Amino acid sequence: MDPKLAAAKAALKYVESGYVVGVGSGSTALVFLNELAEAIKGGLISNVRLVATSTETEYEIIRLGLGELLRYPWQVNGITVAVDGADEVDEGKNLVKGGGGALTREKIIDYWADEFIVIVDESKLVDKVPSRHPIPIEVVPYAWPMVKAKLEKEYGGSAELRYSSSKRGPVVTDNCNYVIDYRPSLRIEPSEGERIIKGIPGVVEVGLFNGLKVSRVIVGKSDGSVYEFK
């Protein structure tokens, strides 16, 4: 079994009828959404509402025939459980997220949830975040040159405006902002880095997620088994 599918199936046991479910973005989260859709259509789970963390996820919810279950944050009183993926996760449950540019909406929903479950395959595990991936930072377009200069001057490393080969110009998020990918030259402690970078004027959100906000991590292995840590 594909490790992403194994992790997605394992996450389903934490979803019950009547829940408001925050549905993450990215390939692993969308595998979970497909499994959730099958459970709903099969009558195993009922009376749920789905809050998406990106327009991509909204589209997939509708494509799967679940459009009547889609809700926006102002239509619900809270999120019972959020299930999302990650670009990197360490043993402290700290995350790097935002490779797909949805970090702000992901963090809003994931941090709001009563239970935040992260599903990944083994390739996403690292000793300490940030590691292999840059830290995504969503910025107001007007401010991106100043944010880039501030990061590089005061904290070192390189901060690059994200471009995509499939469009001209910078990547634009669902919130009509830009994304800077930051590779610090020195080790950044995740919770401190989240606080410091978020405090730079012009920064909307940073793709460092504090492990204290994560309820559990479900890891899918190549042999189809899973394990969890809390």
Side-chain angles (χ1 to χ4, degrees), residues 131-180:
S131 181
R132 298 188 295 264
H133 291 75
I135 301 169
I137 304 169
E138 184 165 348
V139 298
V140 175
Y142 180 79
W144 81 263
M146 291 80 84
V147 174
K148 170 181 167 66
K150 176 85 170 178
L151 289 167
E152 293 179 338
K153 179 179 180 180
E154 296 198 12
Y155 308 111
S158 64
E160 301 298 331
L161 188 63
R162 185 184 296 182
Y163 285 81
S164 171
S165 59
S166 60
K167 71 177 289 292
R168 294 183 182 276
V171 168
V172 179
T173 72
D174 289 347
N175 309 307
C176 300
N177 295 313
Y178 291 169
V179 176
I180 286 175

Side-chain angles (χ1 to χ4, degrees), residues 14-229:
Y14 297 105
V15 180
E16 298 181 10
S17 297
Y19 276 14
V20 178
V21 183
V23 185
S25 305
S27 60
T28 308
L30 295 184
V31 172
F32 166 78
L33 175 59
N34 276 273
E35 292 302 302
L36 178 60
E38 289 298 317
I40 293 169
K41 292 174 182 178
L44 300 176
I45 299 174
S46 62
N47 192 33
V48 295
R49 287 154 291 167
L50 308 177
V51 180
T53 57
S54 66
T55 53
E56 175 195 34
T57 304
E58 289 178 10
Y59 170 79
E60 288 299 318
I61 289 171
I62 294 169
R63 187 186 67 80
L64 289 167
L66 304 177
E68 72 279 4
L69 305 180
L70 181 62
R71 298 291 187 275
Y72 293 95
W74 56 87
Q75 295 176 301
V76 298
N77 294 322
I79 306 294
T80 317
V81 61
V83 180
D84 209 344
D87 301 319
E88 294 183 355
V89 57
D90 65 23
E91 62 182 11
K93 301 181 296 181
N94 301 299
L95 314 174
V96 170
K97 289 178 56 58
L103 60 151
T104 297
R105 295 192 185 190
E106 288 174 335
K107 187 172 281 190
I108 290 169
I109 299 304
D110 294 343
Y111 276 27
W112 190 23
D114 296 335
E115 186 169 17
F116 172 25
I117 298 171
V118 176
I119 54 174
V120 294
D121 63 77
E122 287 183 298
S123 69
K124 303 300 176 66
L125 300 178
V126 298
D127 291 334
K128 196 73 175 176
V129 303
S131 181
R132 298 188 295 264
H133 291 75
I135 301 169
I137 304 169
E138 184 165 348
V139 298
V140 175
Y142 180 79
W144 81 263
M146 291 80 84
V147 174
K148 170 181 167 66
K150 176 85 170 178
L151 289 167
E152 293 179 338
K153 179 179 180 180
E154 296 198 12
Y155 308 111
S158 64
E160 301 298 331
L161 188 63
R162 185 184 296 182
Y163 285 81
S164 171
S165 59
S166 60
K167 71 177 289 292
R168 294 183 182 276
V171 168
V172 179
T173 72
D174 289 347
N175 309 307
C176 300
N177 295 313
Y178 291 169
V179 176
I180 286 175
D181 288 315
Y182 177 48
R183 294 185 180 275
S185 58
L186 301 174
R187 174 69 69 184
I188 287 183
E189 196 280 321
S191 59
E192 181 182 9
E194 181 182 32
R195 177 183 59 81
I196 290 173
I197 297 172
K198 183 75 178 288
I200 298 174
V203 170
V204 177
E205 193 51 83
V206 56
L208 289 171
F209 283 53
N210 191 323
L212 295 177
K213 300 291 186 178
V214 179
S215 304
R216 69 186 71 244
V217 177
I218 302 176
V219 183
K221 302 177 67 175
S222 57
D223 63 2
S225 64
V226 301
Y227 67 92
E228 303 183 16
F229 58 93

